Amino acid sequence: MNQLELLKYIWKNRQKWYFFKVKVMKVSPNNTSREFCIYIVKGNRMINLNSLIARLSTEKHVSLKKDNLFVRGCGMDMAFFVLEHFLDDIAQNLKTSKAIRKIEHGYCCDSAQQYELL
């Protein structure tokens, strides 16, 4: 599956409950950063989205550290933050490829809060 097909699959299925699987790998001692692994399940396979999220991310607070997503921030649900911005980035990416004509921010926000914490 190439990147565009994966983005389209994620966008199509983003509103399914527990479509995204989030595993918190590490929280810094001072609680100001976290390391996550974010997955989706397609068929019987878990697909790791970390490198895709880091590559598409327009947020300076999100980067790849080893194989985990490294996110700086505290005081809010950082998994929600990452997913919401990832969905916004997908929307912009697909919008430029003319796969999506109209994007509403609310769709990203609603979908981002439906993840399953592993």
Side-chain angles (χ1 to χ4, degrees):
M1 174 180 296
N2 68 35
Q3 179 175 312
L4 184 57
E5 289 172 345
L6 181 57
L7 293 176
K8 287 179 181 178
Y9 177 78
I10 292 169
W11 188 257
K12 180 181 174 187
N13 293 284
R14 72 191 183 281
Q15 292 188 324
K16 290 183 180 177
W17 279 95
Y18 306 127
F19 178 66
F20 295 101
K21 314 293 184 196
V22 178
K23 185 172 184 180
V24 179
M25 304 302 285
K26 184 179 178 183
V27 177
S28 68
N30 61 0
N31 210 23
T32 58
S33 65
R34 286 138 179 78
E35 290 183 33
F36 295 116
C37 281
I38 298 180
Y39 305 92
I40 59 169
V41 176
K42 185 171 191 308
N44 290 329
R45 290 183 42 218
M46 287 189 81
I47 299 173
N48 186 321
L49 300 178
N50 293 345
S51 61
L52 179 63
I53 292 171
R55 195 168 45 250
L56 291 180
S57 180
T58 56
E59 285 297 316
K60 63 180 180 181
H61 302 295
V62 178
S63 60
L64 201 58
K65 183 177 182 182
K66 298 184 182 173
D67 290 333
N68 299 330
L69 278 174
F70 179 74
V71 183
R72 285 187 206 99
C74 61
M76 65 181 283
D77 184 344
M78 296 313 292
F80 170 81
F81 170 83
V82 170
L83 286 171
E84 179 186 24
H85 288 278
F86 174 56
L87 291 169
D88 279 340
D89 294 334
I90 289 176
Q92 293 308 311
N93 195 307
L94 292 178
K95 187 176 179 183
T96 59
S97 71
K98 298 182 182 176
I100 294 178
R101 301 276 181 215
K102 184 177 179 185
I103 305 301
E104 295 182 23
H105 178 74
Y107 290 139
C108 298
C109 189
D110 289 344
S111 301
Q113 67 187 354
Q114 300 173 10
Y115 68 87
E116 179 179 19
L117 192 61
L118 298 178

